[in-house]
Amino acid sequence: MALSEERRASLLAYCKLTELADDPEVQALIPVMYEASVGYMENAGINVPESGTTRAALYDLCVNYMVANAWDQRDTTVAATVIAENPMFRQYLLQLKLTEGDGSLG
């Protein structure tokens, strides 16, 4: 899934990188991180939802989270001693998995 200009702008806003949009590192890495995140979702069994649906909003939030996390963790070392995943990300991902296919929970 190609990163459209509209999607790129919303992704940069989520990652708080709007002011760095022309930075060569941002231009090179954000599209790759986006593609990797979309690929992760696909490999997790979650297809790109129809645009304008509530599932699309959840999907975009999950992808945004993964890109922001990849951006923040792009260095080879992590200085923090405790790393915790955002629990909302896991809840959104689970909701998307449960509603994949026919849109029902069962």
Side-chain angles (χ1 to χ4, degrees):
M1 175 183 221
L3 183 58
S4 71
E5 281 304 312
E6 181 181 351
R7 184 69 178 96
R8 181 178 182 273
S10 70
L11 185 55
L12 291 176
Y14 181 91
C15 296
K16 299 183 184 200
L17 294 171
T18 302
E19 293 179 5
L20 298 174
D22 294 330
D23 181 278
E25 186 178 17
V26 171
Q27 289 181 347
L29 294 179
I30 292 298
V32 173
M33 292 171 175
Y34 173 79
E35 290 293 329
S37 299
V38 169
Y40 177 92
M41 297 292 278
E42 182 179 326
N43 290 331
I46 301 169
N47 296 308
V48 178
E50 185 179 330
S51 183
T53 63
T54 55
R55 287 191 84 250
L58 284 175
Y59 181 91
D60 287 349
L61 284 173
C62 284
V63 169
N64 290 354
Y65 172 82
M66 288 189 286
V67 171
N69 189 55
W71 178 260
D72 290 342
Q73 304 297 324
R74 70 190 182 284
D75 293 330
T76 56
T77 60
V78 178
T81 56
V82 176
I83 299 174
E85 182 178 75
N86 182 330
M88 288 307 299
F89 167 74
R90 189 57 54 193
Q91 291 173 10
Y92 290 164
L93 186 65
L94 179 59
Q95 181 68 24
L96 286 166
K97 288 184 77 79
L98 290 173
T99 59
E100 184 64 32
D102 66 359
S104 69
L105 291 175

